[in-house]
Amino acid sequence: MGGMQMHMEEHGEAQLPSPHAGSGTGWQPASVPEHEWMVMHGGWELMAHGVIFADYNQQGGPRGEGKAESVNWGMVMEQHGLGRGTILLRQMFSAESLTSPHPGFPELFQTGETYHGAALVDHQHPHNVFAEVSALYTLPLSEKVSWELYGGPAAEPALGPVTYMHRTSAGELPLAPLSHHLQDSTHTSFGVVTTGFTIERVKLEASAFNGREPNEERWSMQFAALDSWSARASIAPGRNWTAQYSIGRLEHPEALEAGSQWRETASVEYNRPLAAGDWATSVVWGRVHKIAEGVNLNGYLVESTLNFLRRDYLFTRLELVDKDELFPQAAVHPTYRIGAYTFGGVRDVVQNGAWQLGVGADVTVYSKPGALDAAYGNYPVSFQVFLRVRPGLGAKGHH
């Protein structure tokens, strides 16, 4: 969540080279732009950011549909010194349970989670009302070493890249990646404890968490034992680069599957500030190994957003992902390799220190095995047109 600078980080980049938290305790490049509002009050640094997409979404082919909908989230943060360290409180909310047509956002080939007790297929689920309620305490131990303790009733374990909702490279794309459930779907977990150390440009951390996916009650928190675990190593070679590798064991993550999973991810994020804009790119790999079935599912993603001439944006997301839940009623669940290739653009029609209002559109084409032609059509094409509202860049560079 760009812009959550720790006061101790401001004392020198040698200590913590990536002052922009990405999501949970993940890092994204320190040079990404900050779309947020910030105010100081009584020793507290108060911050808020988020986005609202008002969207017409038309998914193509026989299993597609068209819907008016809104993808949205907002976050407020409160930061203050505590002893020799710093405490950061975060609360993230989403109204998608009200603004997504049931059973969710239409999205061809998307799978994961449930609706009315059945597996969601060709839809992206809405996010939870309480998407994050967490605290992060960071304590410098020496000039180049610090310790962190993070967690909360709704938080994100140290597993995967910065989640797509907070990646600058995905900032203009309303829909979730098809590989979301292989890479970063643990960004809302109901019960997380994480601890770790930052040593110069490297961070090593581990989490215990509740690995079960949220159920259909999007307004509640569903607590369970912290019986899953993960570990992550991150590096920030400089202001424009971050990378991570993580692995985790998720106990009973799927509501309709009894088994557990291993998840493994790796990612690299690059951001290049420009004279009149910014260029952010992410490369992500995720693998899920379903232990009971002995099945491996891989997801590969490249996404990039170029902001140029201040007001204009071009973006793309290119994915190859393995899907084995497209026909949940079938006796046998074969795995299909799906390709999804999205291209689009946005222009800000309002852009000032407080707000940005953009008008955008995108189109997605696909590659798939011929065995899916009967269900999905030979050449399905999907598109979206949308308005995007978020805070401006007026707070950038203040300390």
Side-chain angles (χ1 to χ4, degrees):
M1 299 120 202
M4 290 176 284
Q5 294 95 334
M6 296 292 147
H7 290 304
M8 64 189 148
E9 294 170 354
E10 294 164 7
H11 295 326
E13 274 191 20
Q15 180 180 349
L16 289 178
S18 189
H20 290 178
S23 62
T25 56
W27 276 349
Q28 66 176 332
S31 61
V32 297
E34 305 170 38
H35 295 279
E36 67 171 10
W37 299 307
M38 187 169 81
V39 64
M40 301 293 293
H41 181 73
W44 286 89
E45 188 174 5
L46 309 175
M47 295 158 280
H49 69 141
V51 68
I52 299 172
F53 289 96
D55 186 8
Y56 178 74
N57 172 12
Q58 179 65 58
Q59 298 291 294
R63 295 180 74 162
E65 58 183 311
K67 292 286 180 69
E69 59 197 24
S70 173
V71 172
N72 55 78
W73 58 269
M75 175 174 282
V76 291
M77 297 157 283
E78 306 86 26
Q79 181 175 274
H80 197 281
L82 181 62
R84 293 177 48 247
T86 304
I87 185 78
L88 173 68
L89 308 176
R90 291 197 294 235
Q91 306 89 47
M92 178 175 164
F93 308 98
S94 175
E96 289 179 358
S97 57
L98 302 176
T99 62
S100 70
H102 294 307
F105 304 105
E107 185 173 13
L108 283 191
F109 302 107
Q110 184 64 288
T111 58
E113 304 197 15
T114 61
Y115 179 69
H116 285 184
L120 272 177
V121 181
D122 300 315
H123 289 81
Q124 165 66 20
H125 60 82
H127 284 98
N128 288 69
V129 173
F130 300 100
E132 183 172 8
V133 180
S134 71
L136 170 65
Y137 181 64
T138 309
L139 178 68
L141 302 178
S142 69
E143 183 181 350
K144 296 183 177 181
V145 179
S146 63
W147 170 71
E148 71 177 20
L149 179 64
Y150 165 85
E156 178 178 335
L159 179 60
V162 170
T163 189
Y164 77 93
M165 301 166 74
H166 303 293
R167 289 197 297 263
T168 303
S169 57
E172 310 298 332
L173 288 89
L175 283 183
L178 295 182
S179 48
H180 174 49
H181 284 265
L182 305 179
Q183 296 166 351
D184 53 0
S185 64
T186 54
H187 70 88
T188 298
S189 297
F190 293 120
V192 176
V193 176
T194 298
T195 190
F197 294 90
T198 299
I199 306 163
E200 288 197 279
R201 301 176 180 273
V202 174
K203 178 154 67 171
L204 305 174
E205 52 192 337
S207 300
F209 64 101
N210 166 17
R212 295 157 183 80
E213 292 184 341
N215 68 19
E216 297 171 27
E217 295 181 358
R218 295 292 162 181
W219 56 91
S220 69
M221 297 186 187
Q222 304 104 44
F223 300 115
L226 306 186
D227 54 5
S228 301
W229 64 267
S230 65
R232 180 167 60 196
S234 305
I235 185 169
R239 288 184 55 81
N240 294 344
W241 291 92
T242 58
Q244 67 84 31
Y245 169 79
S246 55
I247 189 168
R249 164 110 180 191
L250 285 71
E251 300 296 339
H252 312 297
E254 301 276 358
L256 301 180
E257 294 183 11
S260 299
Q261 299 178 357
W262 287 99
R263 182 174 298 178
E264 191 176 4
T265 81
S267 61
V268 176
E269 294 185 50
Y270 172 69
N271 186 73
R272 181 178 179 181
L274 304 174
D278 191 78
W279 188 11
T281 301
S282 298
V283 179
V284 183
W285 166 73
R287 170 182 288 170
V288 161
H289 174 71
K290 296 186 175 182
I291 297 171
E293 298 95 327
V295 172
N296 284 329
L297 304 174
N298 288 281
Y300 307 90
L301 175 148
V302 178
E303 64 190 13
S304 191
T305 295
L306 172 64
N307 172 211
F308 61 101
L309 300 178
R310 305 260 179 226
R311 294 176 175 267
D312 299 299
Y313 305 80
L314 293 175
F315 60 84
T316 186
R317 176 184 283 152
L318 311 175
E319 292 189 83
L320 288 174
V321 59
D322 298 328
K323 293 287 183 177
D324 67 344
E325 299 174 332
L326 297 177
F327 303 98
Q329 307 305 322
V332 179
H333 292 167
T335 298
Y336 301 98
R337 173 64 58 89
I338 305 299
Y341 316 100
T342 299
F343 305 89
V346 178
R347 179 173 175 81
D348 280 334
V349 294
V350 175
Q351 190 181 83
N352 55 49
W355 296 96
Q356 290 185 351
L357 169 63
V359 179
D362 65 43
V363 61
T364 303
V365 297
Y366 306 90
S367 61
K368 58 183 176 11
L372 296 179
D373 288 353
Y376 285 92
N378 292 344
Y379 302 105
V381 178
S382 303
F383 71 88
Q384 298 180 86
V385 291
F386 56 85
L387 298 176
R388 183 261 295 132
V389 181
R390 67 184 174 204
L393 292 168
K396 186 175 183 179
H398 58 278
H399 295 304

